[in-house]
């Protein structure tokens, strides 16, 4: 069994290292194309291209797979678990409210989705020194990202990542449910929706609604926000291990 973790935006797979250090299983942290990794020729752009890339990548890995997604990685996890033939043993993902039918994108997403404004924002992000409060690193620090990791993220930010960010967000208008909602249903693999208690980007009621739609459990991560895997990797790893232990012991059953 292999744990495969998928990061969000603007991040790379390095965001998972602390959690991986606390796991007792083989694990892989993917870098999405354009996010610290080359963009394959012919990939295309937008959410469906990335979902197809993730599904193809997972099929090439030794399975069965325990898939874990955060932020945009969570959105791709929900898509792969519901619309692709991939050998998943289980899946876990956060920000489930983002795939709710009534979801409204956050302020920064709306900037990225607006032609001209998104390009201007990214140009400023690419040119602002990392130590300034208005830099991408500064924004991440304000959200609870440890300074060293915030700096590392900004150092990975380049024109390729900037363009990839715009393509992803502009492919998800008015929200992810508009294109993907018809496929959201109880998944074949057992699922876990992670709710970071202090994540202002994730509405708890909407997240629980989507968990019911997907037939998934819900577990709250206490005392952490959107970047829970950095703020308390030990709690995150323990929560995942407990879920996988249940999957190990209850093969063939599904959460009510």
């Amino acid at each position: 069994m292999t744990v495969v973790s998928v990061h969000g935006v603007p991040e790379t797979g390095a965001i998972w290292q602390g959690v991986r250090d606390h796991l007792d299983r083989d694990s892989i942290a993917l870098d999405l194309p354009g996010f610290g990794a080359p963009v394959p020729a012919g990939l295309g752009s937008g959410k469906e291209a990335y979902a197809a890339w993730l599904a193809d990548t997972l099929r090439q890995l030794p399975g069965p797979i325990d898939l874990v997604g955060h932020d945009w990685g969570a959105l791709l996890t929900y898509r792969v678990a519901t619309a692709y033939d991939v050998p998943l043993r289980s899946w876990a993902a956060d920000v489930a409210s983002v795939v709710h039918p009534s979801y409204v994108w956050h302020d920064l997403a709306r900037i990225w989705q607006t032609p001209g404004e998104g390009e201007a924002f990214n140009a400023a992000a690419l040119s602002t020194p990392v130590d300034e409060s208005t830099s991408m690193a500064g924004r991440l620090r304000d959200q609870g990202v440890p300074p060293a990791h915030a700096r590392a993220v900004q150092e990975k930010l380049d024109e390729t990542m900037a363009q990839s960010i715009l393509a992803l967000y502009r492919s998800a208008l008015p929200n992810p449910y508009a294109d993907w909602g018809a496929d959201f249903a109880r998944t074949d693999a057992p699922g876990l929706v992670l709710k970071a208690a202090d994540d202002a980007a994730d509405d708890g009621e909407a997240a629980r609604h989507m968990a019911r739609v997907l037939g998934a459990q819900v577990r709250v991560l206490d005392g952490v926000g959107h970047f829970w895997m950095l703020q308390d990797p030990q709690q995150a790893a323990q929560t995942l291990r407990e879920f996988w232990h249940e999957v190990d012991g209850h093969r063939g059953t599904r959460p009510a």
Side-chain angles (χ1 to χ4, degrees), residues 159-220:
E159 187 60 38
T160 298
M161 186 186 292
Q163 291 300 319
S164 299
I165 291 169
L166 298 183
L168 274 175
Y169 277 99
R170 292 176 183 179
S171 73
L173 287 167
N175 60 27
Y177 190 92
D179 292 327
W180 290 352
D183 292 315
F184 289 149
R186 192 178 185 90
T187 60
D188 292 333
L192 174 65
V193 166
L194 297 164
K195 177 65 183 81
D198 301 330
D199 188 352
D202 188 23
D203 178 81
E205 182 177 349
R208 287 178 173 82
H209 171 84
M210 292 310 300
R212 291 192 295 271
V213 169
L214 298 169
Q217 299 182 36
V218 178
R219 297 198 184 176
V220 175

Side-chain angles (χ1 to χ4, degrees), residues 10 25 45 62 66-67 69 107 130 151 169 177 184-185 200 204 216 220 227 230 236 256:
R25 299 173 184 243
S45 62
D66 293 310
L67 181 61
D107 291 345
V130 67
R151 175 181 288 273
Y169 277 99
Y177 190 92
F184 289 149
V220 175
F227 293 96
L230 295 171

Side-chain angles (χ1 to χ4, degrees), residues 28-86:
I28 297 170
L30 298 177
D31 286 327
L32 293 173
F35 294 82
V39 178
L43 174 68
S45 62
K47 65 184 188 302
E48 203 63 70
Y50 275 77
W53 173 88
L54 177 58
D56 289 342
T57 299
L58 294 175
R59 293 187 189 108
Q60 298 173 38
L61 297 175
I65 288 167
D66 293 310
L67 181 61
V68 183
H70 160 64
D71 190 83
W72 261 99
L75 273 63
L76 299 176
T77 294
Y78 295 128
R79 180 60 171 168
V80 167
T82 55
Y84 286 86
D85 180 17
V86 175

Side-chain angles (χ1 to χ4, degrees), residues 55-177:
D56 289 342
T57 299
L58 294 175
R59 293 187 189 108
Q60 298 173 38
L61 297 175
I65 288 167
D66 293 310
L67 181 61
V68 183
H70 160 64
D71 190 83
W72 261 99
L75 273 63
L76 299 176
T77 294
Y78 295 128
R79 180 60 171 168
V80 167
T82 55
Y84 286 86
D85 180 17
V86 175
L88 297 183
R89 193 183 80 103
S90 73
W91 60 265
D94 62 3
V95 295
S97 64
V98 180
V99 293
H100 189 275
S102 65
Y103 180 72
V104 176
W105 281 110
H106 54 81
D107 291 345
L108 180 53
R110 290 198 292 272
I111 290 173
W112 277 325
Q113 288 165 340
T114 303
E117 290 187 23
E119 285 81 359
F121 178 91
N122 283 347
L126 288 166
S127 62
T128 302
V130 67
D131 293 325
E132 292 191 15
S133 61
T134 56
S135 69
M136 183 63 72
R139 290 172 178 269
L140 293 172
R141 290 193 297 268
D142 289 344
Q143 296 181 60
V145 175
H149 186 85
R151 175 181 288 273
V153 168
Q154 178 154 342
E155 289 172 350
K156 288 285 187 178
L157 181 65
D158 58 12
E159 187 60 38
T160 298
M161 186 186 292
Q163 291 300 319
S164 299
I165 291 169
L166 298 183
L168 274 175
Y169 277 99
R170 292 176 183 179
S171 73
L173 287 167
N175 60 27
Y177 190 92

